[in-house]
Amino acid sequence: MKKGMVFDIQRFSVHDGPGIRVNIFLKGCALRCRWCHNPEGLRPESQLLFHEEACIGCGRCAAVCPHGVYVQKDGLRRIFFERCRACGRCAEECPAQALKLVGALMSAGEVCAEAEKESAFFSKEGGVTFSGGEPLLQPDFLREALYLLKQKGYHTAVETSGAAPWDNFRKVTGFVDLFLYDYKLFDSKQHKKYTGRDNGMIRENLRRLKQAGAEIRIRIPVIRDVNDGELELIAQELETLGIGCVELFPYHRIGVSKYRRIGCPPPELFEAPSPEMMEGYRQLFRQKGIRTL
């Protein structure tokens, strides 16, 4: 049975597909969006996370770490995250649970079992969503997990950036009821500037998914002075492709504190559009006959 690297399981989720859902977050992503709110999902391997506010300064982590990650001197503490090999000894020893490893290997059967615990809340619309990171970078595990969930009769959704080879999409399309497809920027150069990669593969995969008959909901994070000026162009493209549903949501700064917890420099901060601006943006899509959420 295939195993996947999972970094979180959210229960009673109502924002990642229809109804009440279990959201499975898989590690690893090809993009480096400058506004990412799940930075702990970017790397494909398990990694250290430190809740500084919970630390009691007992020093047990330094005593058991074989790699010199923790250094305490003259009452000051420093954590060298780059030295960590994710052995987990410090997290096991920490009495305050200030340390944890983000990311654990789970089998498709284990993921399915976790979903089943919440199935009483699914009703007709709910189900299971895979997010990330980028779940399509673990296609074999994802296919097996989706297959097991469909065998149980659950609704399945996959949230994707589109930045994965088309062959990975082909492996799973028959077991996905809904793709939640992120569309960040229209201009390829701007896309590379803000995410680290151009959007050629992303737009081509979107076209192929639509041609394959997949159910698609576009998701757009709206960021002032980054992509708000491109929304009309995106609306035109979606109209041409025949995609009938888009979810617009304003940029937020939730997750900023996570960067320090995993030893990364703080992210760049952007501005969110006002509620009035958001309503105007939704109207751009409605004028094209595209339903907005």
Side-chain angles (χ1 to χ4, degrees):
M1 185 170 283
K2 302 292 184 183
K3 290 196 173 186
M5 181 62 74
V6 178
F7 74 89
D8 196 11
I9 298 177
Q10 285 185 358
R11 294 164 172 82
F12 217 82
S13 175
V14 295
H15 300 294
D16 299 290
I20 297 171
R21 313 187 69 80
V22 173
N23 202 350
I24 313 293
F25 291 83
L26 305 187
K27 275 179 73 64
C29 185
L31 302 183
R32 291 297 181 267
C33 302
R34 284 155 62 171
W35 51 83
C36 180
H37 60 274
N38 282 333
E40 74 276 32
L42 296 178
R43 287 168 48 183
E45 70 276 1
S46 182
Q47 65 189 111
L48 178 68
L49 185 145
F50 174 51
H51 290 279
E52 184 176 9
E53 64 277 10
C55 179
I56 60 175
C58 66
R60 294 187 186 181
C61 52
V64 300
C65 178
H67 303 294
V69 173
Y70 307 95
V71 175
Q72 289 183 290
K73 186 176 182 180
D74 300 327
L76 299 176
R77 177 188 58 242
R78 184 176 178 186
I79 299 179
F80 293 88
F81 286 89
E82 68 276 10
R83 297 177 183 176
C84 181
R85 298 297 179 267
C87 69
R89 295 184 190 178
C90 59
E92 293 174 0
E93 189 69 21
C94 181
Q97 298 183 323
L99 295 163
K100 65 177 290 188
L101 291 184
V102 180
L105 287 173
M106 297 182 67
S107 71
E110 288 171 331
V111 165
C112 188
E114 288 296 317
E116 282 193 278
K117 294 177 183 178
E118 312 299 321
S119 61
F121 300 104
F122 291 168
S123 67
K124 292 183 179 180
E125 287 191 326
V128 182
T129 298
F130 288 88
S131 186
E134 173 51 66
L136 281 156
L137 293 183
Q138 301 186 51
D140 296 325
F141 165 77
L142 182 61
R143 176 188 172 91
E144 188 168 328
L146 289 166
Y147 170 79
L148 292 177
L149 293 165
K150 293 308 298 177
Q151 291 291 102
K152 298 285 185 179
Y154 300 146
H155 182 278
T156 59
V158 171
E159 182 177 10
T160 177
S161 67
W166 173 247
D167 281 348
N168 295 9
F169 280 88
R170 284 198 304 110
K171 289 181 179 181
V172 306
T173 49
F175 308 107
V176 180
D177 295 306
L178 174 66
F179 282 95
L180 303 170
Y181 203 101
D182 294 350
Y183 198 131
K184 299 175 176 67
L185 291 118
F186 181 86
D187 183 82
S188 188
K189 290 182 179 178
Q190 288 294 98
H191 196 282
K192 186 171 184 179
K193 174 183 175 182
Y194 285 104
T195 74
R197 295 184 63 168
D198 66 43
N199 61 4
M201 173 189 289
I202 294 168
R203 293 171 67 181
E204 177 63 14
N205 284 339
L206 179 60
R207 183 187 67 80
R208 287 184 169 188
L209 264 186
K210 182 60 181 175
Q211 287 181 340
E215 184 72 20
I216 302 169
R217 179 191 298 178
I218 297 295
R219 308 185 91 186
I220 304 175
V222 183
I223 308 167
R224 289 186 65 173
D225 302 321
V226 175
N227 67 348
D228 53 345
E230 298 189 344
L231 294 177
E232 189 164 3
L233 292 172
I234 295 174
Q236 290 173 0
E237 180 171 20
L238 298 186
E239 180 187 30
T240 299
L241 290 173
I243 294 175
C245 183
V246 64
E247 181 179 1
L248 301 175
F249 52 95
Y251 162 79
H252 60 73
R253 296 181 179 181
I254 298 173
V256 168
S257 62
K258 293 181 180 180
Y259 285 79
R260 185 172 65 177
R261 291 174 181 171
I262 58 174
C264 290
E268 183 175 355
L269 298 180
F270 298 92
E271 294 297 323
S274 67
E276 294 76 18
M277 295 171 71
M278 288 297 298
E279 183 56 31
Y281 298 144
R282 293 186 181 98
Q283 191 60 30
L284 289 175
F285 290 87
R286 293 176 189 143
Q287 290 171 354
K288 303 291 185 182
I290 300 171
R291 183 166 62 97
T292 62
L293 300 175

